[in-house]
Amino acid sequence: MAESEPPAVPVVDLGFGDGVSSDHSDTVGHEQRTAAAWGAAMSSAGFVVITGHGVPEDVVGAMFSAGKRFFTEKTLEEKKAFNYGPYGNPAGGFTAMGTEAVGRTLPSPQLGNQGEGDSEDQGKDTVAVAPQDLVESFAFCSSDREHWQTHYPAELCDAAWTYRTHMVKLLTRLHRLCALGLGLDNPDTFAPFYTNPSLSLRLASYPPCALDGLQPGQLRYGEHHDYQGLTILALQPGCAAGDATGLQVHLEDSWHDVPFVPGAFIVNIGELMSLWTGGRWRSTLHRVTITESDCHNHRFSIPFFTGPNDDAIIKPLIPGTEQFDPITAGDHLRKKLGLSNT
C-alpha cells in the first residue's frame, strides 16, 4: 500500500478521554462531527478503528491475561467441564476446536482459500465444503452475575464482568453515534431495542498450527458477516503499530489487512444493523487468516457481539432506503448459529 493511500478501515477518535460520560450537553459539537465521521466509515467500509473510547487499558489487559491463562494452563478436559452445549447456547461457556465452521453461514460462492482469493469450490453449497475453524473460545452470554458464579471459572469472572460493564457503557454511546450518523431525529433511537439485549462477550483463542496439516480453504476463522448489531473487537496487545493481525476485510473486490492500532478497538456492523439502515451501511465480509509467518503464534482476541432484544422486529428505519422483509432478531441469530455449528 502506498504511503499516501488511506487505510481500508478508517480510524475515528471518539474523544471520550478517561471515561465514558453520559452527559452530552457540553460535547454536542464534537459528537456531531464524530457521528459524521462514524457514518462515513460505516457507509464506505462497515468497519472502523476507534481510539479515545474511554475504556481503561488495565481493564483490557486484565481480560487478555485471564483469558490467556485459561486457554494455555488448563487441559482440554478441564476446559470441557465448562461446555454447556453448541456454540451460541444461552448459557455460554467453552467451545472446543472443531466445533465452528462460520463459513457455512454464507451463501455460495463466498468461501475463500488461505487468504489468497476465491476458492475453486465456488458455486458449491458452503454447508458441504466450508472447513472447521481453527479457534477455541469461551463465551459469557448471561447478564445474571449469579449464573456467572455457577457456570464460569472463578479466575475469569471478575476481569470479564468488569470488561463487559465497560463494553455496555461504550455500546450505549456508539448507538447514539449510529443514530446521529444516520441523520435520525432521535439520538436514542436504538435504546428501545436494547432493553433486554442479546450480548455475548467472547474470548477467542487461535492456537499455533502447522500449515501442511490444513484442509483446503481452512482459516483461523472463515469468511463471514457478523449476524447482529455492532461488534466491538479487541486484538491482543503486544503487536507493533501497523502490524498485520490476520484480520482481513473484503472491500472493492479484494482483501485488506486491518492493521494493529495500539489501545484501539475495531467496530463493525452486522446484518441486523445493515438491515436497519436499509443497506446504507454495509455488513462487510471478513475473516481471520493464517500465514506461514504467523502460524506458530498463539493469538487471542475479544469480540463483544451485541444484538437487540430477542423478539425485536428488524426493518429499515430510514424512509426511502432500500426495503427488506422484516425479520425477528432472535430467529435470525439462532438460524446463523445453527448453520455455523458442525
Side-chain angles (χ1 to χ4, degrees):
M1 179 183 294
E3 289 186 7
S4 59
E5 184 179 347
V9 176
V11 179
V12 174
D13 182 358
L14 302 185
F16 292 164
D18 295 329
V20 180
S21 172
S22 59
D23 179 10
H24 312 290
S25 59
D26 59 348
T27 60
V28 172
H30 172 77
E31 188 176 52
Q32 292 286 354
R33 292 189 296 273
T34 304
W38 177 270
M42 290 309 185
S43 295
S44 64
F47 270 74
V48 63
V49 176
I50 58 170
T51 60
H53 47 68
V55 180
E57 183 178 342
D58 60 342
V59 170
V60 180
M63 185 64 178
F64 273 109
S65 295
K68 184 176 181 179
R69 287 193 299 270
F70 174 82
F71 286 115
T72 61
E73 296 179 6
K74 287 189 180 297
T75 67
L76 179 58
E77 290 306 311
E78 288 173 329
K79 289 182 281 191
K80 283 184 174 179
F82 298 99
N83 175 266
Y84 303 108
Y87 175 68
N89 78 86
F94 175 70
T95 299
M97 184 90 72
T99 303
E100 280 191 274
V102 73
R104 301 183 186 192
T105 64
L106 288 179
S108 298
Q110 292 179 295
L111 179 63
N113 187 28
Q114 290 300 104
E116 300 297 333
D118 293 332
S119 165
E120 63 183 11
D121 290 317
Q122 276 199 353
K124 295 181 182 179
D125 183 357
T126 56
V127 172
V129 300
Q132 297 166 337
D133 299 316
L134 300 171
V135 64
E136 58 179 350
S137 64
F138 197 101
F140 304 83
C141 296
S142 173
S143 60
D144 181 0
R145 190 64 189 267
E146 290 187 7
H147 176 90
W148 286 46
Q149 293 170 346
T150 57
H151 287 74
Y152 304 153
E155 63 268 28
L156 289 179
C157 284
D158 286 346
W161 187 263
T162 300
Y163 187 94
R164 183 186 186 277
T165 300
H166 281 278
M167 289 295 102
V168 171
K169 291 179 181 178
L170 178 58
L171 178 63
T172 299
R173 187 66 174 128
L174 295 182
H175 280 158
R176 285 181 58 90
L177 288 181
C178 286
L180 293 170
L182 288 166
L184 301 177
D185 292 335
N186 181 6
D188 296 320
T189 293
F190 294 99
F193 295 99
Y194 283 80
T195 55
N196 185 26
S198 169
L199 304 178
S200 179
L201 173 61
R202 168 170 157 149
L203 292 166
S205 163
Y206 302 99
C209 60
L211 289 182
D212 57 8
L214 301 186
Q215 302 172 42
Q218 194 166 30
L219 303 171
R220 277 184 156 157
Y221 211 58
E223 299 173 17
H224 66 286
H225 301 274
D226 284 356
Y227 314 143
Q228 301 178 281
L230 299 177
T231 300
I232 307 172
L233 175 69
L235 298 176
Q236 73 182 80
C239 298
D243 277 0
T245 62
L247 177 63
Q248 294 184 328
V249 297
H250 193 261
L251 296 168
E252 298 179 351
D253 299 322
S254 62
W255 288 100
H256 301 264
D257 291 322
V258 180
F260 182 75
V261 177
F265 291 114
I266 300 165
V267 182
N268 65 284
I269 68 171
E271 291 166 325
L272 295 185
M273 180 62 78
S274 184
L275 194 158
W276 260 325
T277 72
R280 185 166 147 189
W281 290 358
R282 63 167 67 194
S283 178
T284 301
L285 192 68
H286 56 288
R287 65 188 182 185
V288 181
T289 62
I290 185 165
T291 63
E292 186 174 358
S293 62
D294 189 54
C295 64
H296 300 298
N297 294 325
H298 196 155
R299 289 198 176 274
F300 301 89
S301 66
I302 309 172
F304 183 59
F305 299 111
T306 73
N309 304 340
D310 190 78
D311 61 354
I313 304 300
I314 311 301
K315 58 184 179 180
L317 296 170
I318 306 170
T321 56
E322 182 181 355
Q323 295 303 300
F324 300 86
D325 292 333
I327 60 175
T328 304
D331 291 345
H332 177 73
L333 175 61
R334 285 184 288 274
K335 176 183 177 181
K336 291 288 188 172
L337 291 172
L339 289 171
S340 71
N341 281 289
T342 60

